[in-house]
Amino acid sequence: MTPAAIIFDFDGVIADSEVRANLSLSESLTAIGMPTTYDESLRDYYGHNWQETQRRIEARFGRPLPADFREQHRTRARARFMEGFDAVPGAPAFLDTLGPMPRAIASSSRAEYIGWALGLFGLGHHFEGHVYSADGWDRGKPSPDIYLAAAQGLGVDPALCLAIEDSPTGARSALAAGMTVIGFCGAGHIVDRVAHGAMLREVGVRHVALSFEDIAAIA
């Protein structure tokens, strides 16, 4: 397809953040008596906004999180991110090739964090005014709402948008919005790229990319 716009998920697509994010979450939960491994965090909470993540945690453990948990967790996560946080390999160069192509971010993460990370990577100018966050929304991914909001903000028919997603949850969101989806398997948290690509295909993704070079070839 020749898309009219490209909409990117953020974590695991632009930011190589999922390993640090899920290590931090597993540590934060374990520290308050909710023992969680990295693999369990990635399996159970990956791709969801905080509201859905909290619902899932509390359902699993049968009790509410402490009132200050999210703030304490942010402090832990930011410290880990500063150990060497960077963009996904190939993302900056790919963005530089897009010229005037409309583009946006549609993410489950907080807008403040996304803005901070884009500034850290030197990529903020690519998305000025078009960072859409489902944090605080009752219906995050896999609901299509965040992708529909991004398309509306760009003024582009969702059916003409290409979405880049690494998680099955996010892929389902973009597909439900009527977009063409490339399943991305190029970030550091994806150990078995073949298996991850198969998992994305199982939710309806037709195109899988192992790198941004693959995305360029497909798009």
Side-chain angles (χ1 to χ4, degrees):
M1 67 172 296
T2 301
I6 301 181
I7 303 179
F8 300 83
D9 177 42
F10 189 67
D11 295 290
V13 172
I14 300 296
D16 204 352
S17 53
E18 291 290 3
V19 170
R20 289 177 176 82
N22 285 280
L23 280 171
S24 300
L25 183 57
S26 65
E27 291 168 357
S28 294
L29 290 170
T30 299
I32 62 165
M34 295 180 170
T36 304
T37 67
Y38 165 79
D39 288 336
E40 288 170 338
S41 178
L42 194 64
R43 180 194 67 202
D44 296 338
Y45 312 126
Y46 167 47
H48 294 286
N49 67 3
W50 174 251
Q51 290 66 38
E52 178 61 21
T53 296
Q54 182 171 351
R55 284 192 286 266
R56 287 169 169 249
I57 291 167
E58 293 177 346
R60 177 184 176 190
F61 290 99
R63 63 183 190 273
L65 286 168
D68 65 346
F69 176 83
R70 193 178 186 193
E71 192 56 45
Q72 294 297 321
H73 170 58
R74 284 177 190 159
T75 300
R76 182 191 302 272
R78 188 173 180 121
R80 184 177 286 280
F81 281 11
M82 293 307 296
E83 294 171 358
F85 185 38
D86 207 346
V88 169
F94 179 78
L95 289 168
D96 285 340
T97 70
L98 295 182
M101 169 76 73
R103 83 289 305 263
I105 287 170
S107 174
S108 297
S109 292
R110 297 171 65 233
E112 294 85 355
Y113 152 73
I114 298 169
W116 168 75
L118 287 172
L120 188 68
F121 305 153
L123 299 178
H125 62 286
H126 285 291
F127 297 102
E128 290 180 359
H130 292 291
V131 172
Y132 301 88
S133 166
D135 182 57
W137 294 18
D138 188 59
R139 281 166 46 100
K141 299 177 183 179
S143 160
D145 296 10
I146 187 63
Y147 273 102
L148 293 174
Q152 182 177 21
L154 291 172
V156 178
D157 183 340
L160 301 178
C161 292
L162 177 65
I164 314 298
E165 266 287 356
D166 65 302
S167 76
T169 298
R172 288 168 58 203
S173 172
L175 289 166
M179 299 182 181
T180 297
V181 179
I182 295 178
F184 183 65
C185 302
H189 63 291
I190 300 174
V191 177
D192 187 335
R193 297 184 178 189
V194 173
H196 195 83
M199 185 166 58
L200 289 165
R201 290 186 187 279
E202 285 177 5
V203 302
V205 173
R206 294 178 57 195
H207 309 284
V208 171
L210 305 185
S211 67
F212 272 93
E213 288 79 9
D214 288 349
I215 291 175
I218 295 167

